[in-house]
Amino acid sequence: MKVLLEIKDDKAAFFLEVLKNFSFVKAKPLSAETPLLLQEIEQAVNNVNLAKQGKLKPKPITELLDEL
């Protein structure tokens, strides 16, 4: 299982050091862009699920292509 945590910068080094002491935990810091990308992907998945349920009207394909 993967878990994304938000930790204050001044406590991050300590927290990572604590996690490294557990043999069953692999911990590594993410780049600044990674959490934003994960949030955007999560929002996209939620939008797809809402569209499938009929709670959100999806954009027409032509509108999506025009954005490119």
Side-chain angles (χ1 to χ4, degrees):
M1 173 174 43
K2 294 184 181 189
V3 178
L4 178 63
L5 302 172
E6 195 168 313
I7 303 169
K8 292 182 179 181
D9 289 340
D10 62 332
K11 304 291 183 185
F14 168 76
F15 191 75
L16 285 172
E17 192 61 36
V18 169
L19 290 177
K20 287 179 185 178
N21 289 311
F22 294 106
S23 62
F24 55 90
V25 175
K26 294 179 184 177
K28 65 179 180 178
L30 300 175
S31 69
E33 295 84 21
T34 303
L36 178 61
L37 176 62
L38 292 175
Q39 288 175 348
E40 290 174 351
I41 291 172
E42 181 180 9
Q43 182 62 44
V45 169
N46 287 337
N47 287 345
V48 168
N49 289 334
L50 289 172
K52 285 182 177 180
Q53 296 170 5
K55 296 179 181 178
L56 180 68
K57 184 177 177 185
K59 290 183 180 180
I61 190 68
T62 53
E63 189 176 325
L64 290 173
L65 293 174
D66 287 342
E67 290 179 8
L68 296 176

Tab-separated table of all heavy atoms in Angstrom:
chain	number	residue	atom	x	y	z
A	1	MET	N	0.840	-1.164	0.000
A	1	MET	CA	0.000	0.000	0.000
A	1	MET	C	0.894	1.239	0.000
A	1	MET	O	1.929	1.267	0.646
A	1	MET	CB	-0.894	0.007	1.249
A	1	MET	CG	-1.675	1.284	1.385
A	1	MET	SD	-2.917	1.394	2.718
A	1	MET	CE	-2.150	0.694	4.106
A	2	LYS	N	0.447	2.243	-0.710
A	2	LYS	CA	1.168	3.509	-0.753
A	2	LYS	C	0.316	4.571	-0.074
A	2	LYS	O	-0.893	4.599	-0.240
A	2	LYS	CB	1.479	3.922	-2.184
A	2	LYS	CG	2.450	2.982	-2.844
A	2	LYS	CD	2.822	3.456	-4.214
A	2	LYS	CE	3.792	2.447	-4.813
A	2	LYS	NZ	4.378	2.906	-6.035
A	3	VAL	N	0.999	5.449	0.675
A	3	VAL	CA	0.330	6.512	1.405
A	3	VAL	C	1.074	7.806	1.141
A	3	VAL	O	2.297	7.846	1.185
A	3	VAL	CB	0.325	6.215	2.925
A	3	VAL	CG1	-0.320	7.337	3.702
A	3	VAL	CG2	-0.345	4.894	3.220
A	4	LEU	N	0.340	8.854	0.854
A	4	LEU	CA	0.930	10.173	0.639
A	4	LEU	C	0.672	11.005	1.883
A	4	LEU	O	-0.463	11.196	2.290
A	4	LEU	CB	0.313	10.836	-0.588
A	4	LEU	CG	0.786	12.223	-0.926
A	4	LEU	CD1	2.272	12.213	-1.272
A	4	LEU	CD2	-0.013	12.782	-2.087
A	5	LEU	N	1.740	11.489	2.507
A	5	LEU	CA	1.633	12.294	3.720
A	5	LEU	C	2.124	13.706	3.446
A	5	LEU	O	3.049	13.902	2.665
A	5	LEU	CB	2.492	11.696	4.841
A	5	LEU	CG	2.188	10.264	5.252
A	5	LEU	CD1	3.242	9.765	6.221
A	5	LEU	CD2	0.816	10.168	5.871
A	6	GLU	N	1.518	14.666	4.115
A	6	GLU	CA	1.983	16.039	4.023
A	6	GLU	C	2.602	16.390	5.373
A	6	GLU	O	1.922	16.388	6.400
A	6	GLU	CB	0.810	16.965	3.715
A	6	GLU	CG	1.233	18.319	3.252
A	6	GLU	CD	0.062	19.107	2.691
A	6	GLU	OE1	-0.704	18.536	1.889
A	6	GLU	OE2	-0.061	20.266	3.071
A	7	ILE	N	3.910	16.667	5.372
A	7	ILE	CA	4.661	16.895	6.604
A	7	ILE	C	5.344	18.256	6.516
A	7	ILE	O	5.885	18.614	5.463
A	7	ILE	CB	5.718	15.786	6.808
A	7	ILE	CG1	5.039	14.420	6.828
A	7	ILE	CG2	6.505	16.012	8.090
A	7	ILE	CD1	5.992	13.265	6.756
A	8	LYS	N	5.343	18.993	7.623
A	8	LYS	CA	6.020	20.285	7.653
A	8	LYS	C	7.494	20.094	7.316
A	8	LYS	O	8.117	19.107	7.721
A	8	LYS	CB	5.893	20.930	9.033
A	8	LYS	CG	4.487	21.359	9.377
A	8	LYS	CD	4.460	22.024	10.739
A	8	LYS	CE	3.056	22.474	11.085
A	8	LYS	NZ	3.035	23.136	12.398
A	9	ASP	N	8.044	21.039	6.562
A	9	ASP	CA	9.432	20.935	6.103
A	9	ASP	C	10.410	20.748	7.251
A	9	ASP	O	11.355	19.961	7.153
A	9	ASP	CB	9.826	22.169	5.293
A	9	ASP	CG	9.148	22.202	3.930
A	9	ASP	OD1	8.702	21.138	3.463
A	9	ASP	OD2	9.090	23.289	3.343
A	10	ASP	N	10.192	21.443	8.357
A	10	ASP	CA	11.154	21.361	9.462
A	10	ASP	C	11.087	20.036	10.217
A	10	ASP	O	11.971	19.725	11.013
A	10	ASP	CB	10.979	22.541	10.426
A	10	ASP	CG	9.610	22.566	11.090
A	10	ASP	OD1	8.637	22.066	10.495
A	10	ASP	OD2	9.529	23.107	12.216
A	11	LYS	N	10.072	19.224	9.975
A	11	LYS	CA	9.927	17.911	10.631
A	11	LYS	C	10.159	16.750	9.673
A	11	LYS	O	10.223	15.599	10.088
A	11	LYS	CB	8.533	17.772	11.252
A	11	LYS	CG	8.162	18.842	12.234
A	11	LYS	CD	8.986	18.742	13.493
A	11	LYS	CE	8.528	19.804	14.486
A	11	LYS	NZ	9.343	19.845	15.668
A	12	ALA	N	10.278	17.022	8.382
A	12	ALA	CA	10.349	15.960	7.376
A	12	ALA	C	11.568	15.064	7.549
A	12	ALA	O	11.447	13.833	7.474
A	12	ALA	CB	10.330	16.558	5.977
A	13	ALA	N	12.740	15.635	7.768
A	13	ALA	CA	13.956	14.820	7.904
A	13	ALA	C	13.829	13.860	9.086
A	13	ALA	O	14.168	12.677	8.982
A	13	ALA	CB	15.173	15.718	8.065
A	14	PHE	N	13.321	14.357	10.205
A	14	PHE	CA	13.135	13.506	11.386
A	14	PHE	C	12.155	12.381	11.083
A	14	PHE	O	12.399	11.216	11.397
A	14	PHE	CB	12.626	14.344	12.561
A	14	PHE	CG	12.139	13.515	13.718
A	14	PHE	CD1	13.043	12.891	14.567
A	14	PHE	CD2	10.786	13.347	13.949
A	14	PHE	CE1	12.599	12.117	15.624
A	14	PHE	CE2	10.329	12.574	15.000
A	14	PHE	CZ	11.236	11.960	15.853
A	15	PHE	N	11.037	12.722	10.447
A	15	PHE	CA	10.018	11.720	10.158
A	15	PHE	C	10.541	10.645	9.213
A	15	PHE	O	10.298	9.453	9.418
A	15	PHE	CB	8.769	12.390	9.580
A	15	PHE	CG	7.584	11.485	9.505
A	15	PHE	CD1	6.871	11.157	10.638
A	15	PHE	CD2	7.185	10.946	8.292
A	15	PHE	CE1	5.782	10.311	10.577
A	15	PHE	CE2	6.101	10.096	8.220
A	15	PHE	CZ	5.396	9.774	9.363
A	16	LEU	N	11.278	11.040	8.186
A	16	LEU	CA	11.857	10.064	7.258
A	16	LEU	C	12.855	9.163	7.979
A	16	LEU	O	12.923	7.956	7.702
A	16	LEU	CB	12.522	10.766	6.080
A	16	LEU	CG	11.571	11.348	5.045
A	16	LEU	CD1	12.337	12.180	4.022
A	16	LEU	CD2	10.781	10.256	4.350
A	17	GLU	N	13.622	9.719	8.895
A	17	GLU	CA	14.585	8.915	9.657
A	17	GLU	C	13.863	7.883	10.521
A	17	GLU	O	14.282	6.732	10.616
A	17	GLU	CB	15.451	9.827	10.526
A	17	GLU	CG	16.651	9.140	11.114
A	17	GLU	CD	17.614	8.597	10.068
A	17	GLU	OE1	17.793	9.246	9.020
A	17	GLU	OE2	18.184	7.509	10.299
A	18	VAL	N	12.756	8.275	11.120
A	18	VAL	CA	11.963	7.332	11.923
A	18	VAL	C	11.436	6.206	11.037
A	18	VAL	O	11.521	5.025	11.390
A	18	VAL	CB	10.799	8.059	12.634
A	18	VAL	CG1	9.824	7.065	13.255
A	18	VAL	CG2	11.332	9.013	13.688
A	19	LEU	N	10.901	6.548	9.879
A	19	LEU	CA	10.355	5.528	8.986
A	19	LEU	C	11.414	4.555	8.497
A	19	LEU	O	11.136	3.367	8.306
A	19	LEU	CB	9.658	6.193	7.793
A	19	LEU	CG	8.356	6.916	8.092
A	19	LEU	CD1	7.822	7.584	6.843
A	19	LEU	CD2	7.326	5.970	8.674
A	20	LYS	N	12.627	5.038	8.285
A	20	LYS	CA	13.707	4.167	7.803
A	20	LYS	C	14.065	3.086	8.815
A	20	LYS	O	14.643	2.069	8.459
A	20	LYS	CB	14.943	4.997	7.473
A	20	LYS	CG	14.788	5.817	6.214
A	20	LYS	CD	16.037	6.640	5.942
A	20	LYS	CE	15.836	7.547	4.744
A	20	LYS	NZ	17.014	8.389	4.502
A	21	ASN	N	13.705	3.281	10.078
A	21	ASN	CA	13.997	2.291	11.112
A	21	ASN	C	13.052	1.099	11.085
A	21	ASN	O	13.295	0.107	11.754
A	21	ASN	CB	13.987	2.944	12.499
A	21	ASN	CG	15.186	3.835	12.699
A	21	ASN	OD1	16.305	3.431	12.432
A	21	ASN	ND2	14.951	5.050	13.144
A	22	PHE	N	11.987	1.191	10.318
A	22	PHE	CA	11.067	0.068	10.170
A	22	PHE	C	11.464	-0.722	8.924
A	22	PHE	O	11.482	-0.177	7.816
A	22	PHE	CB	9.621	0.557	10.036
A	22	PHE	CG	9.094	1.228	11.268
A	22	PHE	CD1	8.932	2.606	11.301
A	22	PHE	CD2	8.760	0.486	12.388
A	22	PHE	CE1	8.436	3.239	12.432
A	22	PHE	CE2	8.265	1.104	13.524
A	22	PHE	CZ	8.106	2.484	13.550
A	23	SER	N	11.745	-2.000	9.089
A	23	SER	CA	12.194	-2.822	7.959
A	23	SER	C	11.108	-3.005	6.898
A	23	SER	O	11.412	-3.265	5.742
A	23	SER	CB	12.664	-4.189	8.457
A	23	SER	OG	11.591	-4.886	9.076
A	24	PHE	N	9.860	-2.861	7.273
A	24	PHE	CA	8.747	-3.089	6.349
A	24	PHE	C	8.277	-1.809	5.651
A	24	PHE	O	7.307	-1.842	4.895
A	24	PHE	CB	7.574	-3.733	7.089
A	24	PHE	CG	7.116	-2.971	8.301
A	24	PHE	CD1	6.142	-1.996	8.192
A	24	PHE	CD2	7.668	-3.223	9.551
A	24	PHE	CE1	5.725	-1.285	9.294
A	24	PHE	CE2	7.251	-2.524	10.663
A	24	PHE	CZ	6.274	-1.551	10.542
A	25	VAL	N	8.980	-0.702	5.864
A	25	VAL	CA	8.591	0.573	5.263
A	25	VAL	C	9.685	1.062	4.324
A	25	VAL	O	10.856	1.067	4.684
A	25	VAL	CB	8.344	1.650	6.353
A	25	VAL	CG1	8.070	3.004	5.715
A	25	VAL	CG2	7.197	1.241	7.264
A	26	LYS	N	9.295	1.438	3.129
A	26	LYS	CA	10.200	2.084	2.187
A	26	LYS	C	9.746	3.531	2.083
A	26	LYS	O	8.603	3.800	1.735
A	26	LYS	CB	10.144	1.429	0.807
A	26	LYS	CG	10.656	0.015	0.774
A	26	LYS	CD	10.545	-0.557	-0.632
A	26	LYS	CE	10.968	-2.006	-0.662
A	26	LYS	NZ	10.811	-2.596	-1.984
A	27	ALA	N	10.624	4.466	2.387
A	27	ALA	CA	10.250	5.874	2.381
A	27	ALA	C	11.234	6.664	1.536
A	27	ALA	O	12.440	6.467	1.620
A	27	ALA	CB	10.233	6.419	3.803
A	28	LYS	N	10.680	7.557	0.712
A	28	LYS	CA	11.513	8.458	-0.075
A	28	LYS	C	10.730	9.737	-0.317
A	28	LYS	O	9.511	9.706	-0.495
A	28	LYS	CB	11.960	7.831	-1.391
A	28	LYS	CG	10.831	7.537	-2.354
A	28	LYS	CD	11.341	6.949	-3.651
A	28	LYS	CE	10.182	6.672	-4.587
A	28	LYS	NZ	10.619	6.151	-5.855
A	29	PRO	N	11.401	10.873	-0.294
A	29	PRO	CA	10.691	12.133	-0.542
A	29	PRO	C	10.284	12.242	-2.007
A	29	PRO	O	10.949	11.705	-2.888
A	29	PRO	CB	11.720	13.209	-0.176
A	29	PRO	CG	13.040	12.528	-0.216
A	29	PRO	CD	12.800	11.064	0.020
A	30	LEU	N	9.190	12.938	-2.252
A	30	LEU	CA	8.709	13.157	-3.609
A	30	LEU	C	9.167	14.530	-4.080
A	30	LEU	O	9.424	15.427	-3.289
A	30	LEU	CB	7.182	13.110	-3.631
A	30	LEU	CG	6.535	11.805	-3.180
A	30	LEU	CD1	5.023	11.964	-3.145
A	30	LEU	CD2	6.918	10.670	-4.096
A	31	SER	N	9.233	14.689	-5.382
A	31	SER	CA	9.545	16.009	-5.931
A	31	SER	C	8.361	16.940	-5.673
A	31	SER	O	7.258	16.494	-5.377
A	31	SER	CB	9.829	15.912	-7.424
A	31	SER	OG	8.644	15.596	-8.115
A	32	ALA	N	8.569	18.211	-5.797
A	32	ALA	CA	7.503	19.184	-5.540
A	32	ALA	C	6.340	19.018	-6.507
A	32	ALA	O	5.191	19.298	-6.169
A	32	ALA	CB	8.066	20.596	-5.637
A	33	GLU	N	6.598	18.545	-7.712
A	33	GLU	CA	5.550	18.401	-8.723
A	33	GLU	C	4.705	17.151	-8.517
A	33	GLU	O	3.561	17.093	-8.935
A	33	GLU	CB	6.158	18.354	-10.131
A	33	GLU	CG	6.844	19.628	-10.560
A	33	GLU	CD	8.281	19.733	-10.066
A	33	GLU	OE1	8.886	18.703	-9.742
A	33	GLU	OE2	8.772	20.855	-9.970
A	34	THR	N	5.251	16.122	-7.880
A	34	THR	CA	4.556	14.846	-7.763
A	34	THR	C	3.233	14.957	-7.015
A	34	THR	O	2.220	14.444	-7.497
A	34	THR	CB	5.468	13.793	-7.117
A	34	THR	OG1	6.655	13.670	-7.899
A	34	THR	CG2	4.786	12.444	-7.036
A	35	PRO	N	3.170	15.612	-5.846
A	35	PRO	CA	1.866	15.699	-5.170
A	35	PRO	C	0.809	16.424	-6.002
A	35	PRO	O	-0.342	16.021	-6.013
A	35	PRO	CB	2.181	16.488	-3.892
A	35	PRO	CG	3.627	16.259	-3.652
A	35	PRO	CD	4.241	16.142	-5.027
A	36	LEU	N	1.208	17.459	-6.713
A	36	LEU	CA	0.257	18.178	-7.564
A	36	LEU	C	-0.256	17.269	-8.673
A	36	LEU	O	-1.460	17.226	-8.940
A	36	LEU	CB	0.911	19.427	-8.163
A	36	LEU	CG	0.034	20.239	-9.114
A	36	LEU	CD1	-1.206	20.754	-8.397
A	36	LEU	CD2	0.821	21.392	-9.699
A	37	LEU	N	0.628	16.518	-9.291
A	37	LEU	CA	0.227	15.588	-10.342
A	37	LEU	C	-0.739	14.542	-9.791
A	37	LEU	O	-1.759	14.234	-10.420
A	37	LEU	CB	1.453	14.907	-10.950
A	37	LEU	CG	1.184	13.839	-12.002
A	37	LEU	CD1	0.466	14.444	-13.208
A	37	LEU	CD2	2.469	13.171	-12.435
A	38	LEU	N	-0.442	14.012	-8.610
A	38	LEU	CA	-1.327	13.018	-8.003
A	38	LEU	C	-2.708	13.604	-7.709
A	38	LEU	O	-3.731	12.946	-7.916
A	38	LEU	CB	-0.704	12.455	-6.720
A	38	LEU	CG	0.537	11.596	-6.910
A	38	LEU	CD1	1.126	11.214	-5.559
A	38	LEU	CD2	0.225	10.350	-7.722
A	39	GLN	N	-2.752	14.850	-7.247
A	39	GLN	CA	-4.037	15.498	-6.991
A	39	GLN	C	-4.823	15.679	-8.287
A	39	GLN	O	-6.036	15.469	-8.322
A	39	GLN	CB	-3.836	16.853	-6.326
A	39	GLN	CG	-3.384	16.772	-4.894
A	39	GLN	CD	-3.080	18.141	-4.308
A	39	GLN	OE1	-2.989	19.124	-5.024
A	39	GLN	NE2	-2.908	18.186	-2.994
A	40	GLU	N	-4.133	16.062	-9.347
A	40	GLU	CA	-4.807	16.257	-10.631
A	40	GLU	C	-5.342	14.940	-11.181
A	40	GLU	O	-6.444	14.884	-11.732
A	40	GLU	CB	-3.861	16.914	-11.625
A	40	GLU	CG	-3.558	18.368	-11.282
A	40	GLU	CD	-2.513	18.988	-12.188
A	40	GLU	OE1	-1.877	18.262	-12.982
A	40	GLU	OE2	-2.323	20.212	-12.097
A	41	ILE	N	-4.572	13.875	-11.032
A	41	ILE	CA	-5.030	12.553	-11.495
A	41	ILE	C	-6.228	12.100	-10.669
A	41	ILE	O	-7.210	11.578	-11.218
A	41	ILE	CB	-3.883	11.524	-11.426
A	41	ILE	CG1	-2.820	11.861	-12.470
A	41	ILE	CG2	-4.411	10.105	-11.616
A	41	ILE	CD1	-1.560	11.041	-12.358
A	42	GLU	N	-6.169	12.304	-9.358
A	42	GLU	CA	-7.287	11.928	-8.494
A	42	GLU	C	-8.556	12.687	-8.878
A	42	GLU	O	-9.645	12.108	-8.956
A	42	GLU	CB	-6.937	12.213	-7.034
A	42	GLU	CG	-8.033	11.822	-6.058
A	42	GLU	CD	-7.672	12.111	-4.616
A	42	GLU	OE1	-6.646	12.759	-4.359
A	42	GLU	OE2	-8.442	11.688	-3.741
A	43	GLN	N	-8.425	13.983	-9.166
A	43	GLN	CA	-9.572	14.788	-9.578
A	43	GLN	C	-10.134	14.289	-10.917
A	43	GLN	O	-11.348	14.204	-11.101
A	43	GLN	CB	-9.189	16.262	-9.688
A	43	GLN	CG	-10.344	17.164	-10.071
A	43	GLN	CD	-11.457	17.165	-9.047
A	43	GLN	OE1	-11.209	17.224	-7.861
A	43	GLN	NE2	-12.688	17.082	-9.510
A	44	ALA	N	-9.242	13.920	-11.832
A	44	ALA	CA	-9.685	13.412	-13.130
A	44	ALA	C	-10.459	12.098	-12.968
A	44	ALA	O	-11.504	11.904	-13.605
A	44	ALA	CB	-8.488	13.216	-14.055
A	45	VAL	N	-9.967	11.227	-12.120
A	45	VAL	CA	-10.652	9.953	-11.876
A	45	VAL	C	-12.018	10.210	-11.247
A	45	VAL	O	-13.016	9.593	-11.631
A	45	VAL	CB	-9.796	9.024	-10.991
A	45	VAL	CG1	-10.581	7.818	-10.504
A	45	VAL	CG2	-8.551	8.575	-11.749
A	46	ASN	N	-12.075	11.137	-10.298
A	46	ASN	CA	-13.365	11.477	-9.681
A	46	ASN	C	-14.338	12.028	-10.717
A	46	ASN	O	-15.526	11.683	-10.698
A	46	ASN	CB	-13.171	12.500	-8.550
A	46	ASN	CG	-12.533	11.886	-7.323
A	46	ASN	OD1	-12.602	10.691	-7.109
A	46	ASN	ND2	-11.896	12.723	-6.521
A	47	ASN	N	-13.842	12.868	-11.615
A	47	ASN	CA	-14.702	13.419	-12.668
A	47	ASN	C	-15.224	12.328	-13.590
A	47	ASN	O	-16.392	12.350	-13.987
A	47	ASN	CB	-13.960	14.483	-13.473
A	47	ASN	CG	-13.773	15.769	-12.696
A	47	ASN	OD1	-14.417	15.985	-11.676
A	47	ASN	ND2	-12.871	16.613	-13.167
A	48	VAL	N	-14.391	11.382	-13.938
A	48	VAL	CA	-14.820	10.264	-14.796
A	48	VAL	C	-15.900	9.455	-14.087
A	48	VAL	O	-16.923	9.095	-14.688
A	48	VAL	CB	-13.622	9.377	-15.195
A	48	VAL	CG1	-14.087	8.083	-15.827
A	48	VAL	CG2	-12.687	10.125	-16.128
A	49	ASN	N	-15.675	9.173	-12.806
A	49	ASN	CA	-16.672	8.407	-12.051
A	49	ASN	C	-18.000	9.155	-11.962
A	49	ASN	O	-19.067	8.549	-12.105
A	49	ASN	CB	-16.148	8.066	-10.653
A	49	ASN	CG	-15.047	7.026	-10.690
A	49	ASN	OD1	-14.970	6.225	-11.617
A	49	ASN	ND2	-14.182	7.035	-9.701
A	50	LEU	N	-17.944	10.468	-11.734
A	50	LEU	CA	-19.172	11.264	-11.683
A	50	LEU	C	-19.874	11.282	-13.039
A	50	LEU	O	-21.110	11.209	-13.109
A	50	LEU	CB	-18.865	12.697	-11.229
A	50	LEU	CG	-18.482	12.873	-9.765
A	50	LEU	CD1	-18.028	14.301	-9.502
A	50	LEU	CD2	-19.637	12.500	-8.843
A	51	ALA	N	-19.110	11.354	-14.113
A	51	ALA	CA	-19.694	11.334	-15.459
A	51	ALA	C	-20.376	9.989	-15.729
A	51	ALA	O	-21.468	9.940	-16.310
A	51	ALA	CB	-18.626	11.624	-16.504
A	52	LYS	N	-19.742	8.907	-15.302
A	52	LYS	CA	-20.345	7.573	-15.490
A	52	LYS	C	-21.652	7.438	-14.719
A	52	LYS	O	-22.567	6.741	-15.158
A	52	LYS	CB	-19.368	6.484	-15.040
A	52	LYS	CG	-18.234	6.244	-15.997
A	52	LYS	CD	-17.340	5.111	-15.489
A	52	LYS	CE	-16.228	4.802	-16.460
A	52	LYS	NZ	-15.364	3.701	-15.976
A	53	GLN	N	-21.727	8.100	-13.559
A	53	GLN	CA	-22.938	8.045	-12.733
A	53	GLN	C	-24.007	9.027	-13.213
A	53	GLN	O	-25.109	9.056	-12.682
A	53	GLN	CB	-22.589	8.352	-11.277
A	53	GLN	CG	-21.678	7.341	-10.625
A	53	GLN	CD	-21.158	7.814	-9.270
A	53	GLN	OE1	-21.548	8.859	-8.760
A	53	GLN	NE2	-20.273	7.041	-8.682
A	54	GLY	N	-23.668	9.852	-14.193
A	54	GLY	CA	-24.606	10.831	-14.715
A	54	GLY	C	-24.702	12.087	-13.866
A	54	GLY	O	-25.605	12.896	-14.053
A	55	LYS	N	-23.786	12.262	-12.916
A	55	LYS	CA	-23.810	13.431	-12.038
A	55	LYS	C	-22.991	14.593	-12.580
A	55	LYS	O	-23.045	15.686	-12.034
A	55	LYS	CB	-23.287	13.045	-10.655
A	55	LYS	CG	-24.152	12.024	-9.944
A	55	LYS	CD	-23.585	11.659	-8.603
A	55	LYS	CE	-24.457	10.618	-7.910
A	55	LYS	NZ	-23.895	10.222	-6.621
A	56	LEU	N	-22.232	14.350	-13.631
A	56	LEU	CA	-21.406	15.385	-14.246
A	56	LEU	C	-21.478	15.206	-15.749
A	56	LEU	O	-21.324	14.090	-16.255
A	56	LEU	CB	-19.949	15.261	-13.769
A	56	LEU	CG	-18.936	16.258	-14.316
A	56	LEU	CD1	-19.235	17.647	-13.773
A	56	LEU	CD2	-17.523	15.856	-13.910
A	57	LYS	N	-21.729	16.306	-16.448
A	57	LYS	CA	-21.807	16.235	-17.899
A	57	LYS	C	-20.390	16.318	-18.474
A	57	LYS	O	-19.692	17.308	-18.252
A	57	LYS	CB	-22.666	17.378	-18.443
A	57	LYS	CG	-22.881	17.309	-19.932
A	57	LYS	CD	-23.789	18.428	-20.398
A	57	LYS	CE	-23.912	18.354	-21.920
A	57	LYS	NZ	-24.679	19.483	-22.441
A	58	PRO	N	-19.960	15.294	-19.208
A	58	PRO	CA	-18.601	15.332	-19.773
A	58	PRO	C	-18.497	16.330	-20.916
A	58	PRO	O	-19.484	16.662	-21.575
A	58	PRO	CB	-18.380	13.905	-20.274
A	58	PRO	CG	-19.741	13.354	-20.478
A	58	PRO	CD	-20.647	14.054	-19.505
A	59	LYS	N	-17.278	16.828	-21.141
A	59	LYS	CA	-17.033	17.746	-22.256
A	59	LYS	C	-17.063	16.965	-23.565
A	59	LYS	O	-16.615	15.819	-23.621
A	59	LYS	CB	-15.649	18.381	-22.136
A	59	LYS	CG	-15.503	19.368	-21.026
A	59	LYS	CD	-14.104	19.991	-21.061
A	59	LYS	CE	-13.908	20.990	-19.972
A	59	LYS	NZ	-12.565	21.601	-20.007
A	60	PRO	N	-17.558	17.585	-24.619
A	60	PRO	CA	-17.494	16.929	-25.935
A	60	PRO	C	-16.028	16.761	-26.366
A	60	PRO	O	-15.170	17.571	-26.007
A	60	PRO	CB	-18.221	17.908	-26.860
A	60	PRO	CG	-18.964	18.837	-25.970
A	60	PRO	CD	-18.258	18.847	-24.657
A	61	ILE	N	-15.748	15.736	-27.137
A	61	ILE	CA	-14.378	15.442	-27.570
A	61	ILE	C	-13.788	16.598	-28.355
A	61	ILE	O	-12.593	16.883	-28.244
A	61	ILE	CB	-14.308	14.113	-28.366
A	61	ILE	CG1	-12.861	13.689	-28.612
A	61	ILE	CG2	-15.045	14.223	-29.673
A	61	ILE	CD1	-12.109	13.274	-27.400
A	62	THR	N	-14.594	17.291	-29.124
A	62	THR	CA	-14.070	18.422	-29.909
A	62	THR	C	-13.559	19.530	-28.997
A	62	THR	O	-12.554	20.165	-29.284
A	62	THR	CB	-15.151	18.981	-30.861
A	62	THR	OG1	-16.324	19.278	-30.085
A	62	THR	CG2	-15.502	17.979	-31.938
A	63	GLU	N	-14.253	19.757	-27.881
A	63	GLU	CA	-13.808	20.771	-26.921
A	63	GLU	C	-12.495	20.370	-26.266
A	63	GLU	O	-11.601	21.186	-26.067
A	63	GLU	CB	-14.891	20.984	-25.858
A	63	GLU	CG	-14.628	22.165	-24.949
A	63	GLU	CD	-15.775	22.382	-23.972
A	63	GLU	OE1	-16.933	22.158	-24.351
A	63	GLU	OE2	-15.476	22.798	-22.846
A	64	LEU	N	-12.352	19.084	-25.954
A	64	LEU	CA	-11.093	18.593	-25.370
A	64	LEU	C	-9.937	18.740	-26.360
A	64	LEU	O	-8.834	19.143	-25.997
A	64	LEU	CB	-11.237	17.132	-24.950
A	64	LEU	CG	-12.143	16.868	-23.749
A	64	LEU	CD1	-12.318	15.365	-23.569
A	64	LEU	CD2	-11.579	17.487	-22.499
A	65	LEU	N	-10.197	18.409	-27.618
A	65	LEU	CA	-9.145	18.520	-28.643
A	65	LEU	C	-8.764	19.960	-28.891
A	65	LEU	O	-7.582	20.262	-29.153
A	65	LEU	CB	-9.592	17.839	-29.936
A	65	LEU	CG	-9.737	16.318	-29.865
A	65	LEU	CD1	-10.318	15.773	-31.162
A	65	LEU	CD2	-8.402	15.660	-29.561
A	66	ASP	N	-9.714	20.884	-28.801
A	66	ASP	CA	-9.410	22.299	-28.984
A	66	ASP	C	-8.488	22.828	-27.892
A	66	ASP	O	-7.725	23.755	-28.114
A	66	ASP	CB	-10.702	23.130	-29.013
A	66	ASP	CG	-11.473	22.932	-30.298
A	66	ASP	OD1	-10.883	22.438	-31.293
A	66	ASP	OD2	-12.690	23.253	-30.314
A	67	GLU	N	-8.547	22.236	-26.692
A	67	GLU	CA	-7.693	22.656	-25.597
A	67	GLU	C	-6.231	22.281	-25.833
A	67	GLU	O	-5.327	22.890	-25.257
A	67	GLU	CB	-8.172	22.054	-24.282
A	67	GLU	CG	-9.474	22.646	-23.799
A	67	GLU	CD	-9.947	22.015	-22.502
A	67	GLU	OE1	-9.202	21.236	-21.889
A	67	GLU	OE2	-11.078	22.314	-22.096
A	68	LEU	N	-6.012	21.289	-26.673
A	68	LEU	CA	-4.639	20.877	-26.967
A	68	LEU	C	-4.024	21.869	-27.922
A	68	LEU	O	-2.964	22.257	-27.945
A	68	LEU	CB	-4.600	19.477	-27.575
A	68	LEU	CG	-5.088	18.358	-26.689
A	68	LEU	CD1	-5.079	17.048	-27.471
A	68	LEU	CD2	-4.214	18.208	-25.465
